[in-house]
Amino acid sequence: MWAFDVTHYDDVWKVIINIGMLLVALLFGNMLRRVIPYLRKAFIPSALIGGILVFAVNLFCREVFGAEIVDRRLMQILTYHALAVGFIAMSLKIVDKKKEELGLHVVQNGLITGGTYMLQAVVGILVSLIFFWIGGTLFYDTGVLLPLGFGQGPGNALTWDNIFTDAGYLTSEGSLGLTIASVGFVVASVVGVIYINIFKRKGEISAKEKNFTRTVSDFETNNEIEDSESVDKISIQFAFVAVSYLLSFLIMMFFKKLTDWTNVKLFNDVAWGFNFIWGVITATLLKSLMKFLKKKKVVKQKYINNYQMDRISGFAFDIMIIAGVAAIDLEVVKDYIWVIAALCAAGTVVTTVYVKIMTKLCFKGFCHEAFLVNFGTLTGTASNGMILLREIDPNYETPTSNIFILSQFPAMLAVAPLLLLLNTSAASYGGCLIALGIFGALFIGYTVFLVLSSRKFARKIKDKK
């Protein structure tokens, strides 16, 4: 028997206290962002500020009182699951058919994402190989964490850092990947702000009046279920997310069983390392099933609400960011400080240059909007990208936001080879070189397609005129 008191803190109170601490820090982060103009003008996310606060307080308590207030393992668990929940909620959203006419631009945006991932992987692996050749002690494939940290944020960087640690390749226990991802948030904000200011001075970006007048259509569409009947609408949204994640877990268990049956460790790593991908797949299938049932009139009303799914994904990504920063172990990071600096510096330069060139080439008339949303996402998260986009296109007058949303599926297909080759590149030095060659070839292939398609599209526009 146990009671609901402090003697059973680990069993009863630890999870609630730690989550409560994160949310309180989020409030303080938001407050600091409001009262310190620089933080607001730099678009530093409140979640990142909150995460830094938790990290700093925990470090102070450890150094002064010899006790940590943060359960680092729990922070890593929250980061891992929040990534999948955020992607599932985004994938469950219903896309307006009228927005599906964006065609080539959607594919191009997806390939810009894929090309940037491949470039980050190539540069990251080359950097870690240089450290490996010079010193011989650093894991040769460490640099593959660059596209995972910059491109996908703390969740996947943490997962694969832990996988590499368990395999004996690294000793960072998640902190290396989390630090790269945290630096990515800062890069997204700082470089994004510098970019906006430069092109404002050049007269290529003009300040636009923000008009956030809300209508009913922003919150719900026709024939949706009521906000509150026998069950609240938000509860239904969480239920859809939970069903999708449960189905994802079954897929992961299947792959785990394949490892048991075949003794091939790859299946187990694929299972748990790609929880967010299985979530996207199951969410897409569930959404298609609901659409089919409605078409057959088995389901009479719309159950999925886009606005509330946005709120769920936003909350999940906020938790992912703040928990990911709080989970960093400074003692571990010290051992990798030069590698982190080299990876993040190289990643920042190549991402900025490549995304700038490709968006200018592919998105005539709204290249600045396309750069900001893609750069913010490919160094931070989708939230960073949308924050930067709203600064110069607050009312979404350009097609940028629609293109970005619709491009997530082709982007996932373009990035899939990188994710599928993570084990191959880590397993051996030769495998790392093979993966490096494949990433380089894919980068070239995606880039060639973007160049040729943009020229063909430009000729079509010219002929119509």
Side-chain angles (χ1 to χ4, degrees):
M1 292 292 292
W2 48 271
F4 298 103
D5 56 33
V6 75
T7 60
H8 292 87
Y9 175 81
D10 286 348
D11 297 323
V12 180
W13 288 103
K14 183 171 70 174
V15 174
I16 293 298
I17 294 297
N18 274 264
I19 292 176
M21 182 169 52
L22 295 184
L23 296 177
V24 169
L26 183 62
L27 288 175
F28 274 102
N30 189 61
M31 181 185 70
L32 288 175
R33 194 173 183 274
R34 293 291 179 185
V35 299
I36 302 176
Y38 173 77
L39 295 177
R40 187 169 63 256
K41 291 177 181 177
F43 306 123
I44 304 295
S46 299
L48 178 60
I49 300 170
I52 293 172
L53 288 174
V54 175
F55 171 80
V57 171
N58 186 58
L59 182 63
F60 175 80
C61 291
R62 185 175 70 181
E63 295 300 321
V64 176
F65 302 110
E68 298 190 20
I69 61 171
V70 172
D71 186 324
R72 187 171 289 109
R73 183 60 178 164
L74 177 59
M75 294 299 109
Q76 293 185 351
I77 291 171
L78 290 173
T79 303
Y80 174 80
H81 290 304
L83 174 70
V85 169
F87 270 95
I88 287 171
M90 287 177 61
S91 301
L92 283 169
K93 290 175 59 179
I94 306 298
V95 178
D96 188 346
K97 286 184 178 180
K98 293 179 182 178
K99 296 175 183 177
E100 295 176 359
E101 301 172 358
L102 296 168
L104 179 61
H105 281 326
V106 171
V107 177
Q108 287 177 323
N109 205 78
L111 288 182
I112 288 174
T113 299
T116 306
Y117 267 75
M118 298 306 162
L119 179 59
Q120 289 174 344
V122 168
V123 171
I125 292 175
L126 286 175
V127 168
S128 58
L129 281 173
I130 291 172
F131 277 88
F132 175 73
W133 293 330
I134 294 174
T137 56
L138 181 74
F139 176 43
Y140 47 78
D141 197 39
T142 302
V144 82
L145 292 174
L146 176 61
L148 300 180
F150 267 35
Q152 294 192 328
N156 220 19
L158 164 70
T159 299
W160 284 92
D161 188 336
N162 278 330
I163 288 173
F164 292 158
T165 299
D166 291 342
Y169 302 136
L170 295 172
T171 58
S172 49
E173 298 180 345
S175 290
L176 175 57
L178 290 173
T179 303
I180 292 172
S182 299
V183 173
F185 294 129
V186 176
V187 168
S189 300
V190 173
V191 175
V193 170
I194 293 173
Y195 181 94
I196 291 171
N197 288 328
I198 288 174
F199 285 97
K200 274 186 177 179
R201 280 196 286 269
K202 288 184 176 182
E204 296 183 29
I205 293 178
S206 57
K208 297 179 182 178
E209 184 180 351
K210 298 181 181 181
N211 179 17
F212 290 118
T213 302
R214 297 287 191 180
T215 62
V216 174
S217 61
D218 292 318
F219 301 98
E220 63 180 357
T221 57
N222 292 331
N223 200 33
E224 279 193 11
I225 58 174
E226 296 294 330
D227 282 329
S228 182
E229 290 184 336
S230 59
V231 60
D232 198 281
K233 186 189 286 190
I234 191 66
S235 302
I236 296 292
Q237 312 310 307
F238 275 110
F240 275 109
V241 173
V243 169
S244 297
Y245 206 11
L246 175 59
L247 294 174
S248 306
F249 179 75
L250 296 179
I251 293 175
M252 289 184 269
M253 284 299 297
F254 170 74
F255 276 100
K256 190 265 181 188
K257 286 295 181 183
L258 282 181
T259 294
D260 295 340
W261 297 332
T262 63
N263 203 32
V264 176
K265 186 175 179 291
L266 171 64
F267 292 125
N268 193 61
D269 290 344
V270 167
W272 310 111
F274 297 145
N275 66 325
F276 71 101
I277 288 185
W278 309 131
V280 169
I281 292 172
T282 55
T284 303
L285 292 174
L286 183 57
K287 181 172 66 175
S288 299
L289 175 62
M290 293 300 295
K291 184 177 179 181
F292 173 78
L293 293 176
K294 191 171 187 304
K295 185 177 180 180
K296 295 296 182 180
K297 300 190 184 307
V298 175
V299 173
K300 306 295 184 183
Q301 292 180 289
K302 296 177 184 177
Y303 281 79
I304 296 175
N305 178 275
N306 284 357
Y307 175 79
Q308 292 185 344
M309 284 298 176
D310 275 335
R311 302 289 66 75
I312 293 173
S313 63
F315 175 75
F317 288 140
D318 281 340
I319 290 295
M320 180 184 73
I321 294 170
I322 192 171
V325 177
I328 295 173
D329 188 341
L330 188 61
E331 293 300 316
V332 172
V333 171
K334 288 179 182 177
D335 298 332
Y336 293 94
I337 188 65
W338 293 112
V339 179
I340 293 170
L343 286 173
C344 293
T348 299
V349 172
V350 298
T351 302
T352 304
V353 173
Y354 183 71
V355 175
K356 174 59 181 172
I357 292 172
M358 290 298 106
T359 51
K360 184 177 181 180
L361 188 68
C362 296
F363 304 114
K364 305 293 185 184
F366 54 99
C367 62
H368 295 303
E369 291 83 354
F371 171 82
L372 289 170
V373 73
N374 280 286
F375 178 80
T377 302
L378 290 166
T379 50
T381 63
S383 298
N384 295 91
M386 295 306 291
I387 288 170
L388 291 171
L389 173 63
R390 282 202 299 266
E391 181 63 18
I392 65 171
D393 186 15
N395 301 315
Y396 301 133
E397 295 170 3
T398 70
T400 309
S401 61
N402 292 339
I403 291 171
F404 175 72
I405 293 169
L406 291 169
S407 69
Q408 296 310 298
F409 183 71
M412 188 176 71
L413 294 179
V415 172
L418 168 65
L419 302 177
L420 293 174
L421 286 170
L422 286 173
N423 277 288
T424 300
S425 63
S428 66
Y429 178 74
C432 179
L433 295 180
I434 291 172
L436 178 63
I438 294 173
F439 298 152
L442 287 171
F443 166 71
I444 293 171
Y446 294 161
T447 303
V448 168
F449 177 88
L450 288 168
V451 172
L452 295 178
S453 64
S454 63
R455 288 179 178 175
K456 185 177 180 181
F457 186 73
R459 281 197 299 270
K460 278 186 177 181
I461 297 297
K462 189 176 180 180
D463 291 341
K464 285 182 181 180
K465 291 180 178 179

